[in-house]
Amino acid sequence: MTDAAHTGPFVDDGASAGATGPAPASGGRAPRTGDERLLCTVFCQVLGVDRVTIDDSFFELGGHSLLASRLSARIRAVFDAEVPLRTVFESPTVASLAERLRTGADSRRPRLRRMARPLEVPLSHTQRRLWFLNRLHGKAAHYNLPVAYRLRGELDVPALRHALNDLVHRHETLRTAYPDWDGRPQQVVLDQAEAPVGLETEDITEAELPRALTTAAGYAFDLAVETTLRAGLFRLTRNEHVLLLVVHHIACDGWSLSPLVRDLGLAYTARSLGRPPDWEELPVQYVDYTLWQRELLGDADDPSSLSSRQVRFWQSELEGMPDRLRIDVTSERRAAPTHRGGRIAVRVPPRTHRALQELAHETGTSVFMVVHAALAATLDGRGAGSDIAIGTPTAGRSDTKLDDLVGFFVNTLVLRTRTDGDPTFRELLGRVRGTDLAAFAHQDVPFDHLVQVLNPSRSAAWHPLIQVMLAFQNNEAASLSLDGIDTRPEPVEEGITRFDLRFELSERLTDSQQPAGIDGSLAFARDLCTSEDAGLLVRDFLAVLDSVAPDIRLSELVARGGPTAAPRARAAGASTGRTSGRGTGGAEPRVAFVCSPYGQQWVGMGRSLFRSDAVFRAAVEECDTLLGRHTGWSLVHEMFLDEPDARTGDVGVMQPLVFAIQVGIARWLDAAGVVPGAVAGHSVGEIAACVIAGILDLPTAVRLVHHYSDQQRRVAGPGRGMAVVELGARELSSHLSGQGGEVSIAAENGPRTTVLAGDRPALEAVVSRLQALDVLAAMVRVDVPAHSAGIDPVMGDLEQAIGTFGARPGRIMMASSVTGGVLDWRKVDARYFVRNLRRPVRLAEATRCLLERHDVLVEISAHPVLAPALRQSADDSAAGATVLTTMRRGEDDRTGLFDALDALERLGARVSSPASRAAQGRQRCDR
């Protein structure tokens, strides 16, 4: 089925299995008032039990959230009072619900009824977007709902033709067109004679059937000029046919398929007997619902209307949420997606299903909530970040009068889950429960109206607000029953999806209503991932479901999920069981890392690795989340900006971004088995080096980088700058006489590489003089006079902004580019980083310190800024060390990393996934 076909309520199982037959004796009290007696009756009807006391919990008697939704609707019909799903969870007994009704705690809503029809009937809120897309993109099949049945027996084809037209007469949506009148889309309900349903018949072989069904299911509707139901009959033999019904989603949803085929069966039975169907008239039609929905939501400009109140909730709930979820995909998004979809089965065994239900019962949640939390944990573990939005469909049938009506009622909710802080699964479930119940309580505002109000960054390449869906299939099965005919569902493979990922799950129960497993599928966008990628995701998801326990932490949980779930565990600092430094027996190269400063930033740096590698992406997302506590912008958003929007000239943006890339590269190398024995950093790179060394935790480091870079904005400008010169510092000093302090040495990067900083006109004059002497000299593309007197105006404010923080003993040695020697972690404080920014960088000395015990230097950077200077130091040392680089500007940013792995392996390093990893990575680069 298509993505939008499944519209069951989002929470399926609440606490224990559903119950039928007599209720267990609970010793509870009998009803005392008329309201309590009515509520007991409603409980019995919804639960299918014989007796309920006022103290019995709805969930203890077998209720779950699908039944809770029905209970809410039934109470609304009986008492004319609003009882949201949250209220049922909070007050699950007759006694507590009766008290809520007595105190009038919950608001009332207008009654759904037949409405006077205006001359122009607008579209419902949920229909408007589908109509707009149909007009914008032309005829397409992306929003079709096909359903097919194999029919064995002597089929009365004329009776079936009559029954189809009876169906269209009964449900107005099936004979409605949606023309555009002066720019205003309308619902125009046609007379039955104006909207006949043809039943095209075709003789076909069994081998030809699948392709024929797929082709017919892909019929492209033009909503402005035709109605929305098509039928086809494929004849295999005289007594074997396949019936295909195709409905456009604007007129039908997943729930609707059950009454649609039920009414078709009733009409067929009547017509085969030579009479019209004798069915009870529907209480309302879809036009009545459309007009009632507008009355219910009220004026969007009225702050007291239901629409305004719920919009305010969603504005607060979704504030600051990332534009899109960074799922583990292997391909760059197309500007215009093809919507080609694949599907892979999901099977949760009964044992795991029982455990999930027991956990839900223990934590006062639901199986849906447990599965939702597990999916969020899985996505987190694969590098999606710690701010995860998952969409879920809700049936949207908040009144029992809508139960038997064919129409488009489904709404979509955004369930935002935060997984930061490495919570226990119990803690995560608490977050999920609060999020889900709050979302359910604000489910009336249509998703498309919400998108319009929130106005997130829009692109045809991804679905707004949500790209991953989780749908629990709780609809009544759409079973077709034709008198004298054996019928069974026939699969229709559409190959279409509108989301990056869509999980569709359905619980199976035994005859005694015990858990028997969860079946379903993952639909995935072929533009973004392969069947193999989807299979790995399903494997990780099932492993997490199988491992959930109340007190297990997320880092441990996702680590149990297998190799593809390991990135989060590594990002959380879990032990890998590997050694660093010299290795064993001295045979391995002794590796040290050097983190470059912010120079040479470029548009698009890190994008390819971010898309393709979960370890790197998890690191950048973690930095993004932490930085969001201090700024109003997103690192990830900036990473994906192109010119002219990219802020490559803003030191306050580029330094945090380069820092995050450095942390991501270090973790990527760690995941490949490359663990340094020591580290050094240049300028802002010293903060990343402190993280790698273990002297600073990441939240502290991100806060430091923010203040470090933000204060530099105050002294940046076109009149300031830096330059690099191929001379040693001592020799260069003689060329600076007479500058009056306008130009000074900012960094000694190598024996013959020195950086200058100061006023740009004076710097340019020095560079010109040196170039005239055939000395290599060039201006650097920055406008900040770092490591010079130009920093003096912000030194006091920087120290105060940084404030106090806790450093700790490092796990590896770190060479300081402030002192040029081994760093004493006890001296790492705000004053140290002020000195770092103000004083000349003594990298050449720090490098000599590294080379005393290490024979490979790996520059951790977005571009090899320091490599020439490091090679000078290596050439001057007795060790003859090797210098390797990582990312390189102008190339796929993964290429340099794979080259570094190749080189390390040739040098004897025991890379955990050696040449094969590099080879596989190159294949991905080529794809």
Side-chain angles (χ1 to χ4, degrees):
M1 288 196 172
T2 59
D3 293 320
H6 307 291
T7 57
F10 2 96
V11 185
D12 184 67
D13 200 328
S16 58
T20 57
S26 65
R29 294 170 292 173
R32 302 161 297 182
T33 66
D35 283 354
E36 288 181 350
R37 281 191 289 273
L38 274 176
L39 279 173
C40 284
T41 301
V42 171
F43 268 49
C44 288
Q45 291 172 342
V46 172
L47 291 167
V49 298
D50 295 336
R51 180 176 59 83
V52 173
T53 75
I54 66 171
D55 300 310
D56 290 329
S57 167
F58 180 79
F59 299 106
E60 292 288 346
L61 293 178
H64 50 69
S65 295
L66 170 59
L67 293 180
S69 296
R70 293 175 181 169
L71 178 69
S72 174
R74 192 68 58 86
I75 291 174
R76 182 182 301 115
V78 172
F79 289 91
D80 193 24
E82 183 65 18
V83 178
L85 191 62
R86 174 186 281 273
T87 301
V88 177
F89 269 83
E90 293 172 346
S91 305
T93 67
V94 166
S96 57
L97 272 177
E99 179 62 20
R100 294 291 289 265
L101 289 170
R102 186 185 68 79
T103 57
D106 299 301
S107 60
R108 297 177 183 271
R109 60 173 58 200
R111 285 191 312 106
L112 176 61
R113 61 204 182 278
R114 289 188 176 273
M115 308 281 279
R117 301 192 174 186
L119 182 61
E120 295 184 6
V121 179
L123 273 60
S124 72
H125 287 286
T126 49
Q127 289 177 323
R128 290 183 63 85
R129 182 167 180 264
L130 296 192
W131 183 89
F132 174 77
L133 291 174
N134 187 263
R135 308 321 301 155
L136 178 66
H137 300 304
K139 298 190 294 183
H142 300 153
Y143 289 89
N144 286 3
L145 273 69
V147 59
Y149 297 91
R150 186 172 289 254
L151 314 177
R152 289 193 175 99
E154 193 169 340
L155 181 66
D156 187 341
V157 176
L160 183 58
R161 294 184 193 278
H162 275 298
L164 284 166
N165 286 286
D166 291 331
L167 184 69
V168 166
H169 180 261
R170 178 167 174 76
H171 296 279
E172 289 183 352
T173 52
L174 301 179
R175 50 187 168 93
T176 298
Y178 305 89
D180 180 355
W181 291 353
D182 297 326
R184 302 185 307 275
Q186 307 293 318
Q187 292 187 66
V188 176
V189 180
L190 305 175
D191 292 335
Q192 182 178 354
E194 298 177 296
V197 181
L199 181 63
E200 300 178 5
T201 60
E202 180 181 349
D203 291 327
I204 198 168
T205 67
E206 193 73 44
E208 296 169 331
L209 179 63
R211 181 181 293 274
L213 289 175
T214 297
T215 301
Y219 177 79
F221 286 94
D222 185 344
L223 297 179
V225 299
E226 62 183 323
T227 53
T228 56
L229 171 65
R230 289 179 62 83
L233 189 65
F234 299 91
R235 184 165 49 215
L236 296 163
T237 67
R238 188 176 69 83
N239 287 328
E240 186 161 2
H241 301 76
V242 172
L243 173 66
L244 173 68
L245 304 177
V246 183
V247 197
H248 193 281
H249 199 11
I250 200 169
C252 185
D253 55 26
W255 180 305
S256 298
L257 293 175
S258 180
L260 185 149
V261 300
R262 183 182 64 235
D263 287 349
L264 178 62
L266 292 172
Y268 174 83
T269 297
R271 290 298 180 180
S272 63
L273 297 174
R275 56 178 174 78
D278 181 22
W279 43 36
E280 186 177 343
E281 184 180 9
L282 292 167
V284 292
Q285 289 286 348
Y286 192 80
V287 168
D288 302 312
Y289 162 78
T290 301
L291 300 173
W292 170 80
Q293 184 190 41
R294 290 175 175 267
E295 180 184 358
L296 171 70
L297 293 174
D299 188 347
D301 295 328
D302 177 3
S304 64
S305 69
L306 179 65
S307 174
S308 296
R309 297 197 309 272
Q310 293 198 4
V311 163
R312 286 195 296 271
F313 162 79
W314 287 110
Q315 287 173 323
S316 174
E317 176 72 5
L318 304 183
E319 182 180 5
M321 190 176 77
D323 293 336
R324 62 187 186 275
L325 193 60
R326 310 287 174 175
I327 61 172
D328 190 5
V329 295
T330 59
S331 302
E332 187 172 355
R333 289 181 182 272
R334 294 170 177 262
T338 66
H339 299 292
R340 293 180 306 113
R343 191 176 294 271
I344 188 169
V346 178
R347 297 284 185 268
V348 178
R351 172 184 56 80
T352 302
H353 188 190
R354 288 192 295 271
L356 297 177
Q357 193 178 79
E358 290 167 2
L359 179 59
H361 179 69
E362 177 186 343
T363 55
T365 57
S366 69
V367 169
F368 173 87
M369 293 175 186
V370 176
V371 172
H372 170 198
L375 179 56
T378 303
L379 294 173
D380 179 335
R382 293 175 63 90
S386 57
D387 191 351
I388 295 176
I390 297 173
T392 195
T394 169
R397 297 175 188 250
S398 56
D399 194 291
T400 55
K401 294 186 182 70
L402 302 174
D403 286 356
D404 296 324
L405 190 61
V406 173
F408 182 29
F409 304 95
V410 65
N411 196 15
T412 300
L413 295 185
V414 183
L415 306 179
R416 183 182 188 182
T417 306
R418 293 174 175 84
T419 57
D420 56 303
D422 198 20
T424 65
F425 197 74
R426 186 192 303 274
E427 292 167 342
L428 179 62
L429 266 179
R431 298 179 190 180
V432 165
R433 183 182 190 276
T435 293
D436 290 2
L437 289 179
F440 305 156
H442 298 85
Q443 62 179 286
D444 296 292
V445 61
F447 176 81
D448 294 308
H449 177 63
L450 190 62
V451 171
Q452 183 180 10
V453 172
L454 296 180
N455 194 27
S457 297
R458 304 294 291 275
S459 171
W462 63 80
H463 194 280
L465 296 180
I466 49 171
Q467 295 80 47
V468 177
M469 288 286 286
L470 174 61
F472 256 43
Q473 263 283 38
N474 297 311
N475 300 328
E476 180 183 345
S479 299
L480 177 63
S481 176
L482 301 181
D483 190 41
I485 303 294
D486 176 47
T487 67
R488 61 179 174 85
E490 182 73 16
V492 181
E493 184 56 53
E494 300 170 84
I496 290 175
T497 185
R498 292 183 299 280
F499 295 93
D500 294 351
L501 301 170
R502 179 183 171 91
F503 287 87
E504 299 174 359
L505 304 175
S506 178
E507 289 186 274
R508 287 185 288 110
L509 300 175
T510 65
D511 292 341
S512 59
Q513 301 299 299
Q514 296 304 306
I518 301 175
D519 294 335
S521 63
L522 166 63
F524 59 93
R526 292 194 179 276
D527 290 348
L528 293 174
C529 59
T530 65
S531 297
E532 179 185 7
D533 298 320
L536 291 174
L537 173 59
V538 168
R539 187 194 68 182
D540 288 351
F541 179 45
L542 294 177
V544 169
L545 285 174
D546 197 48
S547 302
V548 293
D551 299 317
I552 188 173
R553 292 203 173 273
L554 253 60
S555 56
E556 182 184 358
L557 177 63
V558 299
R560 295 182 182 183
T564 56
R568 191 191 195 278
R570 287 192 290 268
S575 172
T576 62
R578 290 180 276 110
T579 59
S580 63
R582 293 179 180 270
T584 59
E588 292 190 45
R590 300 165 298 175
V591 178
F593 287 175
V594 181
C595 297
S596 287
Y598 56 87
Q600 300 296 316
Q601 58 269 19
W602 47 284
V603 173
M605 58 184 178
R607 284 186 197 173
S608 298
L609 194 60
F610 186 94
R611 289 190 180 105
S612 63
D613 190 86
V615 175
F616 180 83
R617 183 166 54 254
V620 175
E621 288 277 15
E622 188 176 1
C623 291
D624 188 26
T625 299
L626 293 169
L627 186 69
R629 301 173 183 174
H630 310 288
T631 71
W633 52 273
S634 163
L635 278 175
V636 173
H637 177 71
E638 295 290 336
M639 177 183 285
F640 283 83
L641 288 179
D642 292 317
E643 297 288 8
D645 300 318
R647 295 190 285 176
T648 53
D650 187 340
V651 64
V653 172
M654 284 299 110
Q655 284 193 356
L657 181 53
V658 170
F659 165 84
I661 288 173
Q662 290 170 346
V663 173
I665 290 173
R667 288 187 178 172
W668 188 92
L669 289 169
D670 178 85
V674 182
V675 183
V679 65
H682 183 301
S683 191
V684 69
E686 270 216 326
I687 304 178
C690 283
V691 173
I692 295 168
I695 293 171
L696 296 178
D697 62 22
L698 195 60
T700 299
V702 169
R703 181 167 67 86
L704 272 172
V705 171
H706 164 62
H707 292 303
Y708 189 95
S709 61
D710 192 51
Q711 288 294 330
Q712 290 179 68
R713 282 172 160 163
R714 295 170 50 194
V715 293
R720 305 294 183 91
M722 303 184 80
V724 61
V725 181
E726 275 292 297
L727 286 177
R730 182 173 297 179
E731 186 178 359
L732 180 58
S733 297
S734 63
H735 294 278
L736 301 181
S737 58
Q739 294 300 318
E742 292 179 324
V743 175
S744 61
I745 290 176
E748 298 178 55
N749 288 347
R752 291 170 297 282
T753 302
T754 307
V755 178
L756 301 175
D759 294 338
R760 183 169 292 274
L763 265 176
E764 290 173 342
V766 170
V767 168
S768 295
R769 288 201 306 271
L770 291 170
Q771 289 173 342
L773 297 172
D774 290 330
V775 175
L776 289 176
M779 296 295 294
V780 179
R781 191 167 62 91
V782 296
D783 60 0
V784 178
H787 311 291
S788 74
I791 296 299
D792 289 346
V794 301
M795 288 177 60
D797 290 343
L798 176 59
E799 183 174 351
Q800 184 175 358
I802 293 174
T804 59
F805 59 84
R808 57 197 182 188
R811 52 182 168 259
I812 58 175
M813 186 270 280
M814 178 170 167
S816 167
S817 62
V818 176
T819 67
V822 176
L823 179 63
D824 182 348
W825 68 271
R826 290 165 295 191
K827 296 182 179 179
V828 176
D829 56 13
R831 186 178 297 274
Y832 176 84
F833 285 103
V834 172
R835 291 164 60 206
N836 165 291
L837 182 58
R838 172 61 179 86
R839 293 186 178 183
V841 177
R842 299 167 66 175
L843 183 67
E845 294 177 54
T847 302
R848 285 197 293 271
C849 185
L850 295 178
L851 290 171
E852 290 177 3
R853 296 188 178 184
H854 299 84
D855 46 29
V856 176
L857 301 179
V858 180
E859 181 180 352
I860 308 298
S861 65
H863 186 73
V865 179
L866 297 179
L870 295 178
R871 289 192 181 100
Q872 290 173 6
S873 295
D875 290 343
D876 285 4
S877 73
T882 300
V883 175
L884 301 176
T885 62
T886 48
M887 287 187 187
R888 294 193 288 263
R889 181 175 184 165
E891 297 181 359
D892 184 305
D893 50 42
R894 298 165 291 183
T895 302
L897 286 163
F898 294 128
D899 287 346
L901 282 189
D902 284 340
L904 284 165
E905 190 179 13
R906 288 195 300 270
L907 290 168
R910 293 186 296 181
V911 179
S912 61
S913 42
S916 59
R917 178 181 177 112
Q920 291 168 4
R922 293 186 198 286
Q923 289 173 6
R924 281 188 166 183
C925 292
D926 295 338
R927 269 210 296 245

